[in-house]
Amino acid sequence: MSHWLPLAAFVPLVAGALTPAMARGRPGLARGWALAVTAFCTFATAALTRRVALEGPFSYAMGAWAAPLGIELRFDEFSAASLFICVIMLLVLVYSGPYVRRALPATRIDWYYSLLLINLGGMIGFVITGDLFNLFVFMELVAVSSYALVAVGGGRTAALAAFKYLVAGAVSSVLILFCIGVLHALTGSLNMADVARRLATVESRPPVLLALAGLTAGFLVKAGLFPVHVWLPDAHAIAPSPINAVSSALVVKLGIIGLLRIFPLFAAAGAVSLAPLFEALAWLGAISVLAGAFFALFQEDIKLMLAYSTISNIGYIVLGLGLAGELALTGAGVHILNHALIKATLFLAAGAMIHQSGHRTLHDLRGIGRAMPWTTLALLIGALSIVGLPPTAGFPGKWYIALGALESGRPGFAVVVLVGALIIFIYFARMLNAFYFRAPSHKEMLGVSEAPASMLGPVLLLGALCVLGGLLTHWPVALIAPAVGRLAGGE
Amino acid sequence: MRFSQLYNYEIAIFLSMIGFYVLVSRGNLVKKVAGLSMFQTSVFILYISMGVVQDGTVPILVDGVRVYSNPLPHVLILTAIVVGVATTAVALALIIRIKEAYDTVEEDEIHEQDRSF
């Protein structure tokens, strides 16, 4: 079936738009509908990922109009991220059932699932498109639904956090749109492969550099790298926990995947030298690793701490991109996928704790390890992974990035990788201490019951995936190896 | 290429900077959204002016006309306008919620209230 590729992106978009109408007067249907659609997407992307692993990248011409005139959907090795997106979204939807019943007003529940499906469709579309303008449209689908999802829980600060996110997001989107316009003016094309070919013949350098700089800056804001991260902590800490898991694990990664999509345009042409940009990215990534970890250290609020740790981990990935060697790029690619698993585990487990106990600071959550042993176990596995201890999922990415730093003769960056992990380890020790060894600050904490099965199940499954992701690293590494080779060889 | 030949680019960038300045400098959230809209619209203008072909006419097939404007950027911007409207709508909806919670849309007063909590 050659139509799996467009269906994977457009089925959730259409289904998302239909959800409120479908679920009207039939409460409870929205979740089943969303689960069915996401299960379909998981199946479709799994089939596509299998095909790319066996045959290599393939394209689909929308409406049978061949590229570069028609719109091309292209599934390459990095598009396999869509499988991770679907799996995490599926688990988030299972988890959402009992969570939203208490956290959201009843009238908003249908809209919540509708927005999640649109978010899912946008994300899948973003990673499979081969067209620059489509990239922008899918990015905006994800962004606008994310703004609304941050505010969906209601509450005093939620709208303000969402507004801050919206301003940062909209400005970066306009910047990206502007630069796509510049590229279109230069080349007369929007198809990525075609733009890459035509950029080689462009004589004037400054506009090419302008487009490169603007696109990089725009996607870095989307990714929430350190100096442009100000929107991220509030948006990721205030939203409902399942939304945190989606936005922190998946949505910020789109910024990184956007970078992976645009660099080959400039690299293939040899129109500009990317080396100075990569140098800057490596430094920005290193600063972000340390700054994110450092800020996380001072947070009492468990969700705010996880949000800062996202900034730190985005730093790792950007550092890997900046080092640009084959090993470092492998590390960055693996960490994009594994960090998604880890952050989803952490936010869902923390969300379950907050949901059951009603508390969200480390001080208030003391003693929860005895009341909710399984959730705490999953949270700690996630925390171990985010530190990057073997054999968990956080280890291979950081290991490859550190090796890449050594390979390219930059041991300083390898030290940064280690120091960042050490700082997070301090936070891990604080959590361990608070959850297991301190006397509860609230007497009723010991009476808190374990999360319901449909919340605990996804959390435990993700915890298990965190371990498996560390043990089975050779699969994703082998999968993205050809793409990494193209990226590293294109310079 | 002289300065005046690319005046459409200069106008677009000038407009976008005005919009961006409003977005950054104003404390009133509604004015921020107005600045954001202007910022977006400047890029739309850039795209539309990009599609102009010298001596070209409206891209509808007519006998005797050989030169047409490039319709592709115009179509793209139709999509981008929809995206911009969606963003503005969400922003204004959020401002209504902020106004309900804080009873003001001035950034300074919101921060002051948050501090006193």
Side-chain angles (χ1 to χ4, degrees):
Chain A
M1 269 276 281
S2 60
H3 296 303
W4 284 120
L5 194 49
L7 284 177
F10 292 110
V11 165
L13 288 177
V14 175
L18 290 179
T19 306
M22 290 263 316
R24 198 178 161 80
R26 276 166 287 192
L29 187 72
R31 177 162 173 255
W33 171 246
L35 275 171
V37 171
T38 313
F40 166 79
C41 292
T42 313
F43 180 71
T45 50
L48 292 167
T49 305
R50 181 170 171 276
R51 184 169 160 199
V52 82
L54 296 176
E55 299 172 18
F58 52 91
S59 298
Y60 177 88
M62 291 289 288
W65 293 87
L69 291 181
I71 295 171
E72 182 192 14
L73 295 179
R74 189 163 177 75
F75 199 93
D76 69 358
E77 289 83 355
F78 287 125
S79 308
S82 58
L83 178 60
F84 278 69
I85 291 171
C86 289
V87 169
I88 289 175
M89 188 59 94
L90 197 61
L91 294 173
V92 163
L93 284 170
V94 172
Y95 177 97
S96 290
Y99 187 93
V100 296
R101 223 170 290 146
R102 201 189 305 167
L104 293 190
T107 48
R108 287 199 189 165
I109 289 178
D110 298 344
W111 297 98
Y112 169 88
Y113 288 113
S114 166
L115 285 170
L116 267 183
L117 281 180
I118 292 173
N119 203 268
L120 173 71
M123 285 195 283
I124 296 175
F126 186 90
V127 297
I128 64 173
T129 183
D131 182 276
L132 277 175
F133 196 76
N134 253 18
L135 196 74
F136 166 78
V137 173
F138 283 124
M139 184 181 77
E140 285 300 276
L141 277 170
V142 177
V144 174
S145 55
S146 296
Y147 308 147
L149 280 170
V150 167
V152 78
R156 198 175 161 75
T157 41
L160 199 61
F163 187 78
K164 221 161 130 186
Y165 180 20
L166 183 141
V167 169
V171 170
S172 59
S173 298
V174 172
L175 195 61
I176 290 167
L177 181 65
F178 172 75
C179 293
I180 291 173
V182 172
L183 283 180
H184 180 59
L186 285 170
T187 62
S189 179
L190 286 166
N191 182 281
M192 289 185 199
D194 198 39
V195 167
R197 257 193 311 279
R198 293 189 188 198
L199 267 182
T201 59
V202 170
E203 282 170 15
S204 151
R205 287 286 184 78
V208 181
L209 285 173
L210 174 72
L212 176 62
L215 286 170
T216 309
F219 282 124
L220 286 182
V221 174
K222 297 270 179 213
L225 199 73
F226 167 61
V228 283
H229 71 286
V230 281
W231 59 269
L232 190 146
D234 283 350
H236 285 193
I238 290 169
S241 300
I243 303 305
N244 299 144
V246 171
S247 53
S248 222
L250 304 173
V251 174
V252 291
K253 301 291 161 46
L254 295 189
I256 303 290
I257 292 178
L259 288 180
L260 289 174
R261 290 281 183 248
I262 59 148
F263 286 154
L265 302 185
F266 299 92
V272 289
S273 158
L274 289 178
L277 178 70
F278 283 148
E279 181 72 19
L281 279 185
W283 280 98
L284 283 175
I287 293 169
S288 192
V289 166
L290 296 178
F294 188 72
F295 286 132
L297 205 54
F298 293 103
Q299 305 305 324
E300 261 295 307
D301 184 318
I302 184 167
K303 275 165 69 167
L304 211 50
M305 172 265 169
L306 293 177
Y308 277 108
S309 131
T310 298
I311 297 170
S312 173
N313 279 280
I314 290 294
Y316 278 108
I317 298 169
V318 173
L319 172 60
L321 286 184
L323 288 169
E326 207 152 313
L327 280 171
L329 284 172
T330 306
V334 170
H335 206 57
I336 290 175
L337 303 177
N338 284 354
H339 177 254
L341 291 176
I342 301 169
K343 225 359 105 51
T345 314
L346 286 168
F347 265 120
L348 291 187
M353 285 181 175
I354 296 167
H355 185 75
Q356 295 299 107
S357 71
H359 296 294
R360 53 186 292 162
T361 62
L362 273 190
H363 180 266
D364 289 336
L365 282 170
R366 277 180 190 172
I368 197 146
R370 274 161 275 180
M372 300 176 67
W374 292 106
T375 310
T376 314
L377 179 71
L379 184 77
L380 291 179
I381 290 175
L384 270 179
S385 308
I386 208 93
V387 174
L389 289 180
T392 55
F395 173 69
K398 295 186 182 183
W399 176 248
Y400 275 113
I401 293 169
L403 282 183
L406 293 176
E407 178 201 46
S408 53
R410 311 293 291 271
F413 286 131
V415 173
V416 167
V417 171
L418 270 179
V419 172
L422 279 178
I423 300 178
I424 291 290
F425 188 77
I426 299 175
Y427 204 91
F428 168 71
R430 274 185 73 192
M431 282 205 295
L432 192 72
N433 187 24
F435 292 159
Y436 284 121
F437 301 121
R438 300 294 291 265
S441 337
H442 302 277
K443 276 209 193 81
E444 64 275 13
M445 186 57 75
L446 293 177
V448 169
S449 56
E450 185 58 90
S454 56
M455 285 171 82
L456 189 58
V459 171
L460 285 179
L461 192 60
L462 279 167
L465 283 175
C466 276
V467 178
L468 279 181
L471 293 174
L472 302 174
T473 316
H474 52 281
W475 283 355
V477 168
L479 180 68
I480 63 170
V484 166
R486 282 199 302 275
L487 211 58
E491 286 140 30
Chain B
M1 247 189 286
R2 281 191 310 278
F3 184 81
S4 57
Q5 265 182 316
L6 291 171
Y7 67 93
N8 59 327
Y9 287 72
E10 273 110 37
I11 291 174
I13 288 175
F14 182 65
L15 284 175
S16 75
M17 286 302 110
I18 294 175
F20 192 59
Y21 177 75
V22 172
L23 176 67
V24 173
S25 67
R26 296 296 112 165
N28 185 314
L29 299 183
V30 179
K31 287 184 184 166
K32 271 184 191 292
V33 174
L36 186 64
S37 291
M38 197 162 167
F39 191 33
Q40 288 173 332
T41 311
S42 69
V43 177
F44 302 162
I45 292 174
L46 177 84
Y47 267 80
I48 291 168
S49 64
M50 224 157 63
V52 172
V53 174
Q54 207 161 21
D55 301 327
T57 177
V58 184
I60 299 171
L61 286 175
V62 195
D63 284 338
V65 181
R66 306 198 65 97
V67 187
Y68 299 104
S69 285
N70 179 3
L72 181 64
H74 303 175
V75 179
L76 298 181
I77 278 321
L78 219 52
T79 315
I81 288 173
V82 175
V83 169
V85 168
T87 312
T88 311
V90 174
L92 291 174
L94 289 173
I95 291 174
I96 293 173
R97 296 273 177 234
I98 293 171
K99 168 92 175 162
E100 279 170 6
Y102 293 88
D103 208 29
T104 174
V105 291
E106 292 291 336
E107 214 176 18
D108 307 343
E109 294 169 22
I110 291 169
H111 287 314
E112 217 156 273
Q113 284 187 35
D114 270 348
R115 258 197 299 280
S116 61
F117 260 85

